[in-house]
Each structure stands twice: as structure tokens, then as C-alpha cells.
Amino acid sequence: MANSKYEYVKAFEQPDLLLPNTWIVVRIDGRGFHKFSAKYAFEKPNDRRALDLMNAAAKAVMSELPDIVIAYGISDEYSKLTTTIVSTFTAHFVLLWSSYFPELPLSPPLPSFDGRAVLYPSVQNLRDYMSWRQVDCHINNLYNTTFWALIQMGGLDAKDAEKELAGSVAADKNEILFSRFNINYNNEPDMYKKGSVVFRDYELVEPGSVSEVVDEDSAKTMEQLELSKTQEEKDRKRRAKAIITVQHVDIIKDEFWERRPWLLS
Ligand code: ATP
Ligand code: ATP
Ligand code: MG
Ligand code: MG
Ligand code: MG
Ligand code: MG
Ligand code: MG
């Protein structure tokens, strides 16, 4: 390739190396989806078609990128990994749109997503991250379910619904839902209450059976890291073949992880 006086700009590309042996979380978030959901008249508080579409796009990303465990990646290059995941997700979201919203053709501004990568050095940190998101899902959904019940069934406007809920705790919201609208929050769909977990499904381990304890946090030597590469390649092939499932389950308690030891070890 011919050199030119302009080539020096290539040196500005930094390698963006990540620390080996850490869990990489890539969080994807729709850009301006408040407006986007209004444009396509998403049902409030939860549009089932939109959630199914998000899940379908996440599933498609997982089958395309076998390194991803439970929608979380393991790799060595930050920007490459993040951009690959975000653009793959967006591409599938757009491709699958018409299957979930057949009567509403997409038009500009088209949906797009932002992505951020965060490194978690221990399994505990990673599990705490997942728990944090699931708690957030619950808090938001309880609020949104009550907020929209006040509007849709109680005839309040958004301002009054917000006022009504200011300073309320979870028990107050459950009470409003039950006594005024005869809604038992516990009977709301798990998809809305717990979110969606996408992962590769292998055989479950019986609850209570003792599984091998893997000390994932212990430091590995360089040789061990080299040796584990062949194993990694094998695992990668196995992952590429596995069935990907979407479930709406508790990922805060130990049980989910204990019964699926292939996820975090
Ligand atoms: P930003 O670009 O900063 O992320 P945003 O408008 O996307 O801005 P978020 O905090 O990400 O804001 O919130 C996403 C919004 O999209 C929610 O507040 C909600 O109004 C809407 N939304 C997304 N998915 C659904 C859905 N399945 N059903 C109903 N509304 C949805
Ligand atoms: P920014 O995107 O500007 O960096 P942020 O990190 O505060 O801002 P936002 O995407 O703006 O995150 O989200 C605003 C609020 O919505 C936060 O309280 C966050 O906990 C919550 N939130 C964001 N993404 C999700 C999600 N995918 N599911 C549930 N709650 C979310
Ligand atoms: Mg968001
Ligand atoms: Mg955001
Ligand atoms: Mg936001
Ligand atoms: Mg958003
Ligand atoms: Mg924001």
C-alpha cells in the first residue's frame, strides 16, 4: 500500500485493549425511544410486540456471536466488541420490525441504539450487575403499571397521576392497584415484572445437587491462559450449536445460576 503524508493519522487509532479474565457487559439502550414509542403508538406501559421484537433481535445477536453468554460478551477488544454487538442488534431489530408491527412500516428517523461496555472482574460483580438491572425492571414496572392504571382506568391526566404517586412506596402502589382497579400486581405477566433473560440452554442441574466449585476469581498464569485457548475454541463451537432461549425468571437468587453452571464458569 502506498504511503502518503496523511498516513500518520492511523497512529491515532488506539488498541482499546481490555483486561483479560474479566466479564464484559455491553448494555444496549434504544436512542430516543420515548419519542420512537410514541411515533409507533406503543401500548402503555408495556407493548408486548416491542418487547418480543427486542427479544428476537437479542436472540439473533446471540446466535450470530457465539462468544456471548447470557447476552454478555467475552473478548479482548472493547470498541470492536461494542460496535459489533450494537450494530448487529440494530440490523436485526430493523429486519424483524415488520413481523412484529406489520401494519406500521418503519420510516426515518429509524431506530438506533447506544452501547456501553463495562468490565466486571468477579462473578459476584457480574451477578450484582444483573441483579441491579432486574431490581430496576421491577421498580420501573410497578411504577409504570400503577401510573398507567391511574390514567387509563382512573381517568387521571399524567400530571395528576405523577402527583398521586410522588413519595409512594411499593406497598402503596400495590394497594392502589388492588383496591381501586382490582389488579393484583403478582398476576401481571412475568415478562413485564422480571424482564427477559436470553441464554444458551443445556441440561439443567438438579436443584440441591452439589456441583463442582470453580474458583473463577483466582489469577491464571500465562501458560494456563494459553492452554485454555484450545478448550475455549471447543466451547465456542458447542455454544454456536446450542438452542437459545428467552425466559422471564428470577436471576437475583442463586438458583438460576446454580442450575446452569455453564453460564458463569
Ligand atoms: P435515551 O436516548 O437517553 O435512552 P429514551 O427516550 O430512549 O432516551 P429511556 O430512558 O431509554 O429514554 O426510556 C425508553 C422509553 O421508551 C421508555 O420510557 C418508554 O416510554 C419507551 N418504551 C420502550 N420500550 C417500550 C415498550 N415495549 N412498551 C412501551 N414503551 C416502551
Ligand atoms: P445516559 O444514557 O445518558 O448515559 P443513564 O446511564 O442515566 O444515562 P438512561 O439510559 O438515561 O441511563 O436511563 C435512565 C433511567 O432508566 C435510569 O434510572 C436507569 O436505571 C433506567 N434504565 C435504563 N435502561 C434501562 C433498561 N434497559 N431497563 C430498565 N431500566 C433502564
Ligand atoms: Mg432505556
Ligand atoms: Mg441511555
Ligand atoms: Mg435513557
Ligand atoms: Mg433509551
Ligand atoms: Mg439518558
Side-chain angles (χ1 to χ4, degrees):
M1 199 180 65
N3 283 336
S4 78
K5 65 173 179 176
Y6 305 117
E7 200 178 295
Y8 78 97
V9 296
K10 180 101 175 112
F12 282 66
E13 284 181 13
Q14 295 296 308
D16 275 350
L17 284 182
L18 290 179
L19 199 62
N21 255 343
T22 51
W23 297 93
I24 305 165
V25 172
V26 177
R27 177 146 105 242
I28 294 174
D29 187 289
R31 277 188 57 225
F33 262 43
H34 191 71
K35 254 194 183 159
F36 183 79
S37 61
K39 179 181 173 189
Y40 292 99
F42 282 17
E43 281 159 33
K44 294 293 175 182
N46 294 294
D47 188 292
R48 177 72 203 224
R49 299 162 301 173
L51 294 173
D52 284 337
L53 170 58
M54 289 292 285
N55 289 344
K59 255 181 108 167
V61 171
M62 294 261 307
S63 24
E64 231 169 89
L65 306 170
D67 286 337
I68 304 175
V69 186
I70 198 163
Y72 297 92
I74 297 163
S75 183
D76 58 349
E77 224 182 285
Y78 167 103
S79 64
K80 175 171 161 238
L81 181 69
T82 308
T83 55
T84 303
I85 290 177
V86 175
S87 65
T88 308
F89 188 93
T90 307
H92 283 287
F93 187 95
V94 170
L95 179 71
L96 293 166
W97 173 267
S98 63
S99 317
Y100 291 87
F101 293 89
E103 72 290 4
L104 291 171
L106 269 182
S107 62
L110 293 170
S112 60
F113 295 83
D114 69 57
R116 65 187 91 173
V118 186
L119 297 185
Y120 292 108
S122 74
V123 166
Q124 190 58 53
N125 292 153
L126 181 72
R127 285 218 18 210
D128 289 345
Y129 170 83
M130 303 283 282
S131 299
W132 173 53
R133 298 320 306 147
Q134 193 162 53
V135 167
D136 217 51
C137 174
H138 166 72
I139 293 170
N140 291 340
N141 190 56
L142 178 59
Y143 182 93
N144 291 336
T145 304
T146 316
F147 178 81
W148 285 101
L150 287 168
I151 292 172
Q152 292 163 348
M153 304 164 81
L156 270 63
D157 63 22
K159 223 176 164 188
D160 287 338
E162 203 179 319
K163 240 190 241 161
E164 176 100 33
L165 290 176
S168 66
V169 297
D172 302 327
K173 295 184 190 82
N174 275 299
E175 183 57 26
I176 292 174
L177 284 174
F178 194 70
S179 63
R180 283 205 233 163
F181 306 114
N182 203 23
I183 295 172
N184 183 342
Y185 184 75
N186 288 331
N187 297 337
E188 290 292 295
D190 279 337
M191 186 194 225
Y192 305 161
K193 288 186 295 183
K194 299 195 166 96
S196 302
V197 193
V198 187
F199 57 95
R200 295 193 171 72
D201 220 0
Y202 304 108
E203 223 169 298
L204 287 178
V205 170
E206 282 303 310
S209 75
V210 191
S211 59
E212 197 191 336
V213 178
V214 183
D215 186 3
E216 192 51 36
D217 297 340
S218 70
K220 285 195 177 116
T221 64
M222 275 327 275
E223 287 99 278
Q224 281 171 321
L225 284 174
E226 283 298 316
L227 268 177
S228 61
K229 279 210 171 125
T230 349
Q231 186 57 41
E232 242 171 56
E233 196 42 47
K234 272 190 199 159
D235 290 347
R236 200 167 188 276
K237 284 192 179 134
R238 196 167 89 101
R239 284 200 295 273
K241 280 191 212 144
I243 302 271
I244 297 166
T245 175
V246 182
Q247 292 181 22
H248 317 293
V249 292
D250 186 300
I251 53 170
I252 298 172
K253 296 195 194 92
D254 293 335
E255 194 203 339
F256 175 84
W257 306 100
E258 279 172 356
R259 297 197 69 192
R260 297 167 184 84
W262 62 87
L263 288 175
L264 296 186
S265 54

